[in-house]
Amino acid sequence: RNSPELKQEDTPDTGDGLLDFIAVAIGPDTTVYAGAYYEGLVELLTTGQVSVIDERNSSLRTHLSDPSRVRIGGLAYDEDDNLWVANNGADEALSVREPDGTWHSFDVSRCGRDAFFELVVHNGNVFVIDNLGGVLAFNPGEDFADTSDDQCRRFESSDNLPAVDVRSIMIDRDGVLWIGTTNGIARLPCTADPFDEFCVANRPTSE
């Protein structure tokens, strides 16, 4: 099968152009989403149609300090085929697109900041790197539209991370979240319930 090819001339005019693609996610229908650090999210259909998704047609927001930019820091699908988006620097820095195209955004400022990069999802829980320190865990509850049951938590040095400068995260086959920091590796085995007070990271040791 031929994959759709994204060319600058194929995309709508967004002012300064689409730059710095740093995240890609492929949907169950093989639709490709590419996140740009400048100008938002690009949708590439298998038909070859290319569309730009930004603050005009979704819940994505512009950067608080740079209102001309919609910055995407990470993309990932959950088990229900919802597309999660780390909307770097926005006032509601997590967004989700349901399979029917409905968008929702979430304010997680009480638990983390807004410099979000690299996102993974496991058992309905979203994990995202906070570039200003640690890893944020978020759960939207039963209903995306109802924020009253949202949960969030930030993991940092007090939760046994070797450093708060986190560079990479990944979920393994057993559901363990591996966290790469500037001072070593940690793993979070309690991803099914990261909001439990006893859920902390541990550090692998050599034998």
Side-chain angles (χ1 to χ4, degrees):
R1 172 181 296 183
N2 293 329
S3 299
E5 181 180 359
L6 177 63
K7 298 179 181 178
Q8 185 65 48
E9 60 266 26
D10 294 333
T11 59
D13 182 10
T14 56
D16 295 327
L18 291 152
L19 301 171
D20 290 347
F21 287 94
I22 61 174
V24 174
I26 301 175
D29 61 353
T30 67
T31 297
V32 177
Y33 291 92
Y37 196 62
Y38 296 104
E39 304 301 348
L41 186 65
V42 176
E43 179 186 63
L44 299 93
L45 303 180
T46 54
T47 60
Q49 180 181 345
V50 180
S51 303
V52 173
I53 300 172
D54 55 22
E55 78 281 9
R56 298 168 296 182
N57 55 8
S58 72
S59 64
L60 299 177
R61 310 290 182 90
T62 58
H63 195 282
L64 289 171
S65 301
D66 188 0
S68 66
R69 306 289 189 190
V70 176
R71 296 185 175 181
I72 306 303
L75 300 170
Y77 275 93
D78 65 18
E79 295 89 344
D80 296 319
D81 298 333
N82 301 301
L83 177 65
W84 286 88
V85 184
N87 189 185
N88 184 283
D91 56 347
E92 297 187 350
L94 281 179
S95 277
V96 65
R97 180 189 184 276
E98 296 187 72
D100 66 1
T102 303
W103 283 86
H104 307 271
S105 60
F106 305 93
D107 179 3
V108 292
S109 58
R110 68 187 185 279
C111 297
R113 283 160 272 194
D114 55 26
F116 291 162
F117 288 95
E118 199 167 330
L119 183 151
V120 298
V121 189
H122 181 68
N123 281 347
N125 295 314
V126 180
F127 299 91
V128 61
I129 295 174
D130 185 340
N131 204 41
L132 298 177
V135 173
L136 181 90
F138 174 75
N139 186 289
E142 294 296 324
D143 184 354
F144 290 147
D146 180 9
T147 60
S148 64
D149 58 353
D150 293 358
Q151 292 178 284
C152 64
R153 174 184 177 181
R154 187 159 65 97
F155 290 87
E156 48 192 345
S157 296
S158 59
D159 301 298
N160 206 31
L161 293 189
V164 295
D165 189 351
V166 177
R167 299 303 178 91
S168 183
I169 54 176
M170 181 62 67
I171 294 279
D172 69 18
R173 295 177 181 177
D174 297 321
V176 175
L177 181 70
W178 290 81
I179 304 168
T181 79
T182 54
N183 195 41
I185 298 172
R187 56 191 176 192
L188 191 71
C190 41
T191 54
D193 186 11
F195 310 103
D196 186 290
E197 62 178 317
F198 298 107
C199 178
V200 295
N202 58 57
R203 305 183 193 183
T205 58
S206 59
E207 297 180 357

